[in-house]
Amino acid sequence: MKKFSIKIYTAVSVICLIFCSVILPSCKDNYGAGNSGNDVGHIHTYGGWTTVKIPDCTEEGKRERVCICGDKQSEVINSLGHDYIFHEAKRADCLNIGWEKYSDCTRCDFSDYVEKPALGHEFGDWSVTVEPSCTDKGSETRVCLRDCSFTETRQIDAFEHIESEWLVAEKPDCETDGIKIKVCEKV
């Protein structure tokens, strides 16, 4: 059993010695700065790619892989470009904002959204809807020129009476006094 263990130990040691003295130095000799021309048949054995910088919509990424000898290879990963969602334009009206046709990216915060402010009402001239009198108030209304469903109404104060000269309502006679009155000239 002791002889068998020594043989395994010796075999492993020889394999390690060959690997460390022949294979590893040959990568550097063939492809490194100290190339002496020995072991020209060495081929790099690279591991899998590892992403060093993840690409995004506008910037490139980078990935690398390493040979067992330590030599590194790197590659650029192209930027992804924006993944657009397109939106239709919406007209602003008197009360609500609108926007131009625009797009957003699903991967980043890119947007070319341009908001259009609400326009506000643009009313026409006032128009009397109920004439005022000496005893009752009146009203007038105006309509939005952009959307006729929007109206404004305000009160018109009642006028003051404009008194007339004294008028004889009943003439006096022998038994009763007469009656004089003033009336509103607007009525």
Side-chain angles (χ1 to χ4, degrees), residues 125-146:
D125 295 331
W126 289 100
S127 173
V128 175
T129 50
V130 175
E131 290 283 347
S133 68
C134 299
T135 55
D136 296 318
K137 293 180 179 182
S139 64
E140 58 186 358
T141 303
R142 63 183 182 172
V143 178
C144 178
L145 300 174
R146 291 189 184 104

Side-chain angles (χ1 to χ4, degrees), residues 134-135 159-163 183-187:
C134 299
T135 55
F159 343 114
E160 293 183 23
H161 289 292
I162 299 175
E163 292 182 352
V183 294
C184 177
E185 291 184 359
K186 291 282 188 181
V187 177

Side-chain angles (χ1 to χ4, degrees), residues 35-135:
N35 186 355
S36 64
N38 298 332
D39 298 322
V40 177
H42 173 74
I43 298 175
H44 285 292
T45 305
Y46 292 100
W49 288 102
T50 303
T51 301
V52 179
K53 182 179 182 244
I54 297 172
D56 62 23
C57 295
T58 57
E59 293 189 21
E60 296 174 331
K62 181 179 177 181
R63 68 182 189 164
E64 292 179 345
R65 63 182 181 173
V66 180
C67 178
I68 56 174
C69 71
D71 184 61
K72 280 187 181 179
Q73 278 188 333
S74 64
E75 286 185 349
V76 171
I77 303 172
N78 292 332
S79 63
L80 303 173
H82 293 298
D83 183 24
Y84 292 109
I85 296 176
F86 297 99
H87 305 274
E88 292 298 318
K90 179 185 173 208
R91 282 186 29 197
D93 61 27
C94 297
L95 301 174
N96 301 298
I97 63 166
W99 49 80
E100 295 177 2
K101 182 170 77 170
Y102 72 99
S103 57
D104 289 327
C105 179
T106 62
R107 286 190 285 261
C108 71
D109 61 355
F110 170 81
S111 178
D112 57 0
Y113 174 83
V114 176
E115 184 174 291
K116 293 187 170 196
L119 302 172
H121 293 299
E122 183 181 339
F123 288 102
D125 295 331
W126 289 100
S127 173
V128 175
T129 50
V130 175
E131 290 283 347
S133 68
C134 299
T135 55

Side-chain angles (χ1 to χ4, degrees), residues 139-155:
S139 64
E140 58 186 358
T141 303
R142 63 183 182 172
V143 178
C144 178
L145 300 174
R146 291 189 184 104
D147 184 348
C148 61
S149 68
F150 291 103
T151 60
E152 268 187 344
T153 302
R154 66 181 180 187
Q155 286 186 341

